[in-house]
Amino acid sequence: MIQLRNWIFILAFTFTFSNANAFVFNDVRVQGLQRVSAGTVFGSIPFNTGDDIDELDVRLIVQSLFETGSFDDVQVGRDGDVLVIIVNERPSIDQIEIEGNKAIKTEDLLDGLSDSGLAVGQIFKKVTLEYIAAGLERQYVSQGRYDASIETEVIALPRNRVLVKVNVDEGNVASIKHINIVGNTLWDDVTLLELMELKLSPWSWLLFWKKDDQYSKEKLESDLESLESWYLDRGYLNFAIESTQVSIAPNMEDVYITVNLIEGDKFNISAVDIAGELFEIPEETIRSLILSSPGQVFSRQLMTSTEERIERVLGNAGYTFASATGEPIIDEGGETVSVKFFIDAGKRAYVRRITFRGNTATHDEVLRREMRQMEGGWASTAAIEHSKVRLERLGFFKEVSVETPSVPGTEDQIDVNYTVEEQPSGAISASLGYAGDFGLILGANYQENNVFGTGNSVGIGINRSDFQKAFNFSFMDPYYTLDGVSRGYSVFFRESDFEERNIARFSTDSFGGSINFGYPLSEVSRLGFNLGFESTVLKEGIFPAQEISRFLAEEGNEFDLYTLTGSYVMSALNRGLLPNAGRSQSVSLEMTLPGSDLEFFRINYAGQIFFPLSRLFTLRLRADLGYGEAYGDTDVFPFYKNFYTGGMGSIRGYKDNTLGPRGTPSPLDNYARFDPIGGNVLVETSAEILFPLPFVKDRQQIKSVLFLDAGNVFNTNCAVVSVICNDIEDGELRYSAGLAVTWITGFAPLSFALAFPFNEKSGDESEVFQFEIGRTF
């Protein structure tokens, strides 16, 4: 009945306008509004009350209301001097549900829909939905999913709202069955195919993971660029991809690709020149950066590398906006090419302000003291980048990025904005338990390398069990002075029964402390000095090893030691935690000072280096070496200072501390156990292949490797009573291989290893699965 009355108004109004030229309206009445405000309607009417309107004006009103996009239908009528507008609102989108998608994240699909005007709270337009469905299908086709389909459903809800459901059938990714290259005479198909990321289905056993046999438009475009670079880097300046055909088999799963190319002629360089404004940079400096020279075969790679070198040098000198563009010009003869570099240094840029974002826990001053780019100074690309690397090496941040936007309204100023993403920089652990050999186990440990965001490190540990009663405290301030001198100190107390740690039967009661200083030598190296005191009382266990008894008989069992340690540390790693590039090494010499009850020294070396093998794989080589020796009035290196190896962080696949020489059982020991006693020489090496775990998104927090470990401990002064005691000359290395993973969690690093010893000998104690909390490998 209401609809009938509305139509009567419309017909009456139309009749009126057919018999009159104008209508003066003094009021407006709007009907049908549910969600849209009346003000939106009034604001869309291009007339005011008291105006004369005719039929053309009415059409203009209807058009204006339709242009708002809020209405499916608009009707205009007259009731006396009142203008009556009847609207039918378009529904609003209350919810969007997407099902069936795996290859493309739901968030990404929703973002794409939102960019096209389809989002929760927006006005629903059926035409837009149909357009989006077709667009999503095209997006899947670009990934090689030719049988993908998108179905949409709109469900009406109360209060003029709708639920939009998008059902995705992603289909299967088409596999490449054949790639045909036409026009190549200089290099065969095999050589050119190896340059391409796309591979044929039987190409590699890794295809199930890397999916290189699955077609995508983006990969093909990248491969065509690789082919072009291959030819241009070898002088074929006129190389061109003439055409590319991609054919799909009727089953929609097999793809055949044909690439037609024109190789052209090879060009040698006839001359190299530069042009442009260099300002304070000597021309000789710029010319020394040019990698191309007359007589060489033209190479676009060398030209591009030269551009980068020139821009880097100019950027380091403060010309942040400098540009260098190389242009090859074919000579008149058509057989050679001249290369000219056009350089625009621009104005020298200065840094107005350095800011930090994302450091919710770490204080600004901790980040600012790592800066090598200063505010107010000219902007140096190298200093800005090096500051970024120093922040990454702190180990406090998962990721560091930097932006250098221009200051609005200026031509010679920039801001430097560092954005950091913090990660756990310490470990907190507590233990409560009971074990038959250890008894009641109580422990609490706190290690924080960025305590309260100050950049200082603190370590506190309290442990009690049948094996050990211990307390330790350590503190280190890396910026004790403004120029980077560090200072630290530590104190400890320990009562340890080493028999419970797979080591020969003896125990120690010891306490002591130390103070240390570090002095920077360069951006990546430091000298360290440590002065320490340690008081130790040795106790024999039940039926101790004969080596222990002989040492205590000759040297006594109470020792006060004053030690001085000098160290050199160099670290050029890209990150503080889980690095995957760079190198580091450290050397330390510890020796007892006059007045000590024992005289000996220990030398330690640790080094690692990373070599990139490909985009996904990196080789890491590691070595840890140690040597200790007695001197002066001490005849034998103290056994309780021996090196041990085996377990996580050393030779995986063997139980902790079990490799190397063994103590000779006492004649009174009926069980005749040969317990590990360590040695004065340590040799550990490992080779690791770092690779990303499939399906893991955050690769900054997880490190996975395939490893090969080798090493052992030796004794160069085996006692006469020793039965199992190998000198380093015997070459008794142990080997293991396997898979290891470290995960940086919110409370501590977790490390796992699945290791397989492959030259295990009688008496060795192997352990295939190993697990550790609080240390990375």
Side-chain angles (χ1 to χ4, degrees), residues 610-661:
F610 294 85
F611 297 96
L613 300 179
S614 68
R615 185 172 55 90
L616 296 176
F617 300 98
T618 301
L619 171 65
R620 174 187 181 238
L621 301 179
R622 174 189 69 91
D624 286 277
L625 308 173
Y627 175 72
E629 190 60 85
Y631 69 92
D633 295 333
T634 303
D635 296 327
V636 181
F637 186 75
F639 70 91
Y640 73 98
K641 294 292 184 179
N642 276 345
F643 298 101
Y644 295 88
T645 190
M648 294 289 287
S650 58
I651 312 301
R652 288 159 283 198
Y654 297 89
K655 288 186 177 180
D656 291 347
N657 308 312
T658 60
L659 291 178

Side-chain angles (χ1 to χ4, degrees), residues 107-363:
E107 295 79 6
D108 296 337
L109 291 176
L110 289 174
D111 290 342
L113 295 176
S114 178
D115 293 340
S116 301
L118 196 66
V120 173
Q122 298 292 325
I123 297 170
F124 171 71
K125 301 176 183 178
K126 188 175 181 180
V127 174
T128 302
L129 182 61
E130 294 173 352
Y131 171 78
I132 292 301
L136 291 178
E137 288 185 357
R138 287 193 297 271
Q139 190 169 354
Y140 277 105
V141 167
S142 69
Q143 294 188 351
R145 299 176 181 270
Y146 293 97
D147 55 347
S149 61
I150 308 293
E151 294 183 359
T152 59
E153 182 182 1
V154 179
I155 301 175
L157 300 176
R159 299 192 303 276
N160 200 28
R161 297 170 300 127
V162 295
L163 164 64
V164 179
K165 298 188 70 174
V166 180
N167 298 309
V168 179
D169 181 3
E170 295 185 329
N172 299 313
V173 179
S175 299
I176 301 171
K177 295 302 179 183
H178 185 66
I179 301 177
N180 184 31
I181 300 178
V182 179
N184 55 309
T185 59
L186 301 170
W187 287 278
D188 58 25
D189 289 358
V190 174
T191 301
L192 298 182
L193 287 173
E194 288 179 350
L195 304 174
M196 302 177 68
E197 184 179 358
L198 292 174
K199 307 295 182 184
L200 304 182
S201 294
W203 187 273
S204 168
W205 66 274
L206 285 174
L207 288 179
F208 76 94
W209 172 26
K210 298 175 65 177
K211 301 180 180 179
D212 288 342
D213 65 332
Q214 296 182 353
Y215 172 78
S216 76
K217 184 178 179 181
E218 290 78 10
K219 286 184 179 181
L220 178 58
E221 291 175 351
S222 175
D223 286 343
L224 295 180
E225 291 179 1
S226 298
L227 289 175
E228 182 181 21
S229 297
W230 174 267
Y231 278 89
L232 291 179
D233 293 342
R234 286 156 180 79
Y236 295 90
L237 194 58
N238 291 329
F239 171 84
I241 302 292
E242 189 175 24
S243 63
T244 305
Q245 293 89 35
V246 179
S247 303
I248 313 299
N251 61 8
M252 305 298 287
E253 295 183 358
D254 297 336
V255 176
Y256 299 86
I257 301 173
T258 301
V259 178
N260 297 281
L261 53 85
I262 300 174
E263 293 179 320
D265 298 325
K266 181 190 288 188
F267 286 84
N268 291 331
I269 298 175
S270 61
V272 179
D273 202 0
I274 60 175
E277 295 291 340
L278 303 180
F279 293 102
E280 299 178 7
I281 308 300
E283 182 177 335
E284 295 76 13
T285 301
I286 299 299
R287 288 192 176 276
S288 67
L289 300 173
I290 298 176
L291 300 175
S292 303
S293 61
Q296 283 184 347
V297 174
F298 172 78
S299 170
R300 188 177 68 173
Q301 181 181 8
L302 293 181
M303 186 178 71
T304 303
S305 298
T306 299
E307 294 171 351
E308 294 173 352
R309 285 158 62 95
I310 294 174
E311 290 178 354
R312 189 181 305 117
V313 168
L314 291 172
N316 293 342
Y319 298 98
T320 306
F321 307 111
S323 65
T325 305
E327 182 177 342
I329 303 172
I330 298 177
D331 299 331
E332 291 183 2
E335 297 180 353
T336 58
V337 61
S338 58
V339 180
K340 197 167 189 176
F341 292 93
F342 296 90
I343 301 170
D344 181 11
K347 289 186 177 181
R348 175 169 276 166
Y350 294 82
V351 176
R352 181 186 70 165
R353 185 180 298 117
I354 298 176
T355 61
F356 304 98
R357 302 169 184 167
N359 53 316
T360 56
T362 308
H363 298 168

Side-chain angles (χ1 to χ4, degrees), residues 10 19 32 51 65 90 155 246 294 296 367 442 522 541 582 594 690 706 771 776:
I10 297 301
N19 293 279
D51 290 345
L65 291 174
R90 285 177 173 169
I155 301 175
V246 179
Q296 283 184 347
L367 284 71
L442 297 171
S522 69
L690 284 68
L706 294 171
F771 168 73
T776 62

